[in-house]
Amino acid sequence: GDDASLEACLRCAAVGATLGLIAIPEADHVAYNPHQARTKELRVVNVHRSNLLLHEAVALFSDSAAVSKLGRLVTHTVPLDDVNSAFQMASGYAEGVVKV
């Protein structure tokens, strides 16, 4: 991520949701509208290389209601055999790619 990715997550998040930040930002600082997070009473979970909070982040999508909401963030899907192209799409910020 970048600022636009974080802003998109804040816009999509439901009131009272938990926002898991798993990506490593390109820059040392990211800018976002704190009022958007505050008024929705969002809980932000920072996951450092998935060492400690990966299970909590995965648990966010363990029920069917949460999984149906995940579809709003995913813009592209690829077969597991084509995982290298998925990483290239995501890391290269290909046009229209939000989450692969």
Side-chain angles (χ1 to χ4, degrees), residues 13-88:
V15 173
T18 300
L19 176 63
L21 299 179
I22 299 173
I24 299 172
E26 292 180 347
D28 289 338
H29 300 277
V30 292
Y32 72 99
N33 181 345
H35 304 295
Q36 195 171 30
R38 180 185 54 77
T39 58
K40 288 186 173 184
E41 296 184 351
L42 299 179
R43 176 176 175 239
V44 178
V45 177
N46 289 285
V47 180
H48 176 70
R49 297 186 186 182
S50 304
N51 287 340
L52 302 173
L53 297 174
L54 178 61
H55 296 291
E56 184 177 345
V58 169
L60 293 174
F61 298 101
S62 63
D63 65 74
S64 59
V67 170
S68 68
K69 293 177 184 177
L70 178 61
R72 295 188 305 182
L73 298 176
V74 177
T75 58
H76 295 73
T77 58
V78 297
L80 187 56
D81 292 342
D82 204 15
V83 69
N84 286 333
S85 71
F87 282 115
Q88 289 174 350

